Amino acid sequence: MSKILVFGHKNPDTDSICSALVKEKFEKNNGLDVEAVRLGNINKETKYVLNYLNIEEPRYIESIDDEQEVILVDHNEFTQSVNNIENAKIKKVVDHHRICEFKTAEPLYYLAEPVGCTSTILYKEFKRNNMQIERKEAILMLSAIISDTLLFKSPTCTEDDKLAAKDLASIANIDVEKYGLEMLKAGTDLSDLTELELINLDAKEVMLKNSKAIIAQVNTASIEDMMKRKDKIEEEMKKVIEEKNLDIFFFAITDIINSNSQAIVLGKKAYITESAYNVKLENNTAFLKGVVSRKKQIIPVLMEQE
Amino acid sequence: MSKILVFGHKNPDTDSICSALVKEKFEKNNGLDVEAVRLGNINKETKYVLNYLNIEEPRYIESIDDEQEVILVDHNEFTQSVNNIENAKIKKVVDHHRICEFKTAEPLYYLAEPVGCTSTILYKEFKRNNMQIERKEAILMLSAIISDTLLFKSPTCTEDDKLAAKDLASIANIDVEKYGLEMLKAGTDLSDLTELELINLDAKEVMLKNSKAIIAQVNTASIEDMMKRKDKIEEEMKKVIEEKNLDIFFFAITDIINSNSQAIVLGKKAYITESAYNVKLENNTAFLKGVVSRKKQIIPVLMEQE
C-alpha cells in the first residue's frame, strides 16, 4: 500500500502548505503512513516560513493514481484539487471553506469550521487529542493563521483564530507582529514574476451560481506599483478567459497595509462587480474599500448578483 | 430571527430522530435558539424509544422558507433532505455518510466520521465540550446506536460506537441487550402497514454513478412472512419507478436475528445486483447472506458494478 498523500489546493498559499505539513505530523503521531505533498509552486511568503524553519519544500505532484488514498486540507472543491481526484479514496478533509463540487463514494472523516484558517482547526485537533505541539508545527500553524487573516485584520478572522495564534506564539516563543509583518512583506515581492505568473499565483477556479469564474488575488504593499502592469495583466487574463471559457475573471490586488483592494475584472459577466460593490468599472477596474477576503467579501458577494 | 431547525433525513429512522433531539439539547446548552423537527412519520422502533422516555414527537415539517437556518444530522444529500434545502442557510452538519449532492454558498461547521451512527459523533461532541450527558439524551443516543448497528452486529459498527454505547448505557443504567432487542423487535411489527408504506418506511433516494436509485430497507424477524406480500410490494415498487423515473429500486428485507437480507430488485438496471453479489435474481429476488448494511454492503457494492 502506498502512503496516504496530504495536500492543500492548487496554487498553494501558506495555509495549504503549512497545514499539509502539520497534518502529516499529526497523522504520523497517530501511526498513519502519510506524506505531505504540494500541487504547485511555493510562493515567497511560504518560502519565508520554510526558510525560517530550515525545512524542505514538500514534493510536487501533478496527478494521482486511481484509488490513491488522500487527505485534503484547506480545500474540498475538485476543481481546486489534484488531477484525477474524482478517482481517489478521500479518507479525510480538514477545511474552512464552503463545500461545493465535492463528493465521495464512501463515508469519510470531514471536519470543517467557519474559522479564518485551516491551521486553527488543526490546532484544535492537536489539543483535543492531548497531543503535544512542537515548535516547528507551532510556527507552521501560526504562519498559516497570520497569512489567512492578514495578521488578524481580515473579516474572516475569528476568536478561535486569535486564541490559537496566541497559544502557538507562546509555544514558539515568537513576536507575532514582527514575524508576521516580515512574512507578509516577503510575500509582496512580486517583481520577478511575469504577468501570467501573477494572475496564477493565488487563483481559485470556482462556480458561482451559474458562472464559471476565476477569483485570483495578490497581496501588495503598493497597489499603485502593481497597477503599472495593468495592460499586460489584462492581456494574460483574456487568454485564460478564452482558454478556460470563463464567464468572469476577477483579479484582486490587495493592499495588506491599508486593507483595501483594487479589482481588475474581465469576462462577459464582469458587470456583476458593479452592483455587487456599488462601484463603476472604469477601464475594467475599481477600488474596493475594505475588501481583503476572497471568501467573505468576494465569492458570496458576487454570487448574490447572479 | 426564527429558530434554527435541526433535522435528520426524510423517512426518518431512529438515528435521525434521536440525533436531532440530542443535537437540539447540545445547541441549547450552547445558547442557540434551536428546534428539532422531523421530515416524516415516526416508525415503530423510534416510537418505542419516545414512549420509553415519555417524550413527544418533534414537529413535522414539509418544506422550509428561503434563508431558513438549519442544522442537518444523519444526512447531507439534498435528495434526502427537506424541500427547498437548496435555499437554506446550512449552519452545521453532523453525519456519518458519504458526501454527495451537497453544497453551500458559505463556510459552515461540518463534522463527519466514518462510524456506525450519528449519535456516536454527538456523544463525542458532548465529551469534547465537557458537557454533562443527562439520562434522557443518553437513552436517545444509545437507542440510535443500537438501531444503526443492529445491536453492534452490523459491519458498520466501529470501536467508537461500542465505546460510546458502553458509556451511555452506564449513564442510563440500562441493560443494553434487553432494551435493544425489545426496541428492534418493536420496529419489526409492520403488519399494519400497506405495501406502499412498507417500501417508503426507510427508503433513500441515491445517485449511484450514473443511475437514479432508491434503496429501501425494512427490518424483520421473519423474511418468510414478509415475502408473502411480495407481489403487492412489487406492484407498488413499479409505480414508484415510473413516477420517479428510477433506474433501479432495491428493496432489502433484513432479518435482524440472523443478519441476512432478502432483496427484491426492479428497474432496468436491476441486473447489476447479480454481478454485485454473485447471485441470480429469480422472480426479481435473491437471498444475500450476511448483508445488513445499506451503507457498507449495498450502495458501494452496487456502485462498483456500473
Side-chain angles (χ1 to χ4, degrees), chain B residues 32-188:
Chain B
L32 284 189
D33 189 18
V34 292
E35 181 192 2
V37 294
R38 64 184 164 88
L39 305 187
N41 293 331
I42 304 270
N43 68 36
K44 284 196 181 162
E45 184 189 280
T46 313
K47 269 192 182 138
Y48 178 91
V49 181
L50 300 183
N51 286 341
Y52 188 91
L53 286 166
N54 198 21
I55 54 180
E56 302 239 323
E57 297 184 358
R59 178 168 67 92
Y60 170 74
I61 62 162
E62 195 181 338
S63 179
I64 53 169
D65 294 335
D66 288 359
E67 307 289 314
Q68 169 69 49
E69 294 189 324
V70 300
I71 294 174
L72 311 187
V73 294
D74 196 32
H75 75 297
N76 67 82
E77 304 189 32
F78 285 0
T79 50
Q80 297 164 13
S81 197
V82 72
N83 297 331
N84 201 32
I85 184 71
E86 304 76 23
N87 297 310
K89 279 203 194 264
I90 304 173
K91 304 299 286 180
K92 303 189 183 197
V93 178
V94 181
D95 189 24
H96 66 128
H97 296 91
R98 68 169 186 172
I99 299 176
C100 190
E101 308 289 331
F102 176 84
K103 65 189 291 186
T104 62
E106 288 183 53
L108 73 164
Y109 177 88
Y110 197 113
L111 178 57
E113 293 190 34
V115 294
C117 180
T118 307
S119 274
T120 300
I121 309 170
L122 295 177
Y123 164 80
K124 291 204 234 171
E125 264 194 323
F126 271 87
K127 285 289 170 189
R128 188 181 302 158
N129 287 270
N130 295 315
M131 203 184 276
Q132 207 196 319
I133 298 173
E134 290 172 27
R135 184 163 189 269
K136 182 176 126 187
E137 279 70 37
I139 291 176
L140 288 170
M141 288 192 263
L142 183 61
S143 302
I145 297 170
I146 291 167
S147 171
D148 268 13
T149 65
L150 294 175
L151 254 171
F152 319 115
K153 285 192 290 186
S154 166
T156 57
C157 186
T158 67
E159 270 313 301
D160 284 3
D161 299 301
K162 289 179 195 165
L163 288 170
K166 199 174 166 191
D167 189 31
L168 292 166
S170 83
I171 293 169
N173 193 19
I174 211 171
D175 179 338
V176 179
E177 286 292 323
K178 183 167 172 286
Y179 171 82
L181 211 58
E182 272 173 24
M183 183 196 86
L184 289 174
K185 277 193 179 155
T188 64

Side-chain angles (χ1 to χ4, degrees), chain A residues 119-134:
Chain A
S119 274
T120 299
I121 309 170
L122 295 178
Y123 164 81
K124 292 203 231 171
E125 265 195 321
F126 270 86
K127 285 290 170 189
R128 187 182 301 160
N129 286 268
N130 296 315
M131 203 184 278
Q132 208 197 317
I133 298 172
E134 289 172 28

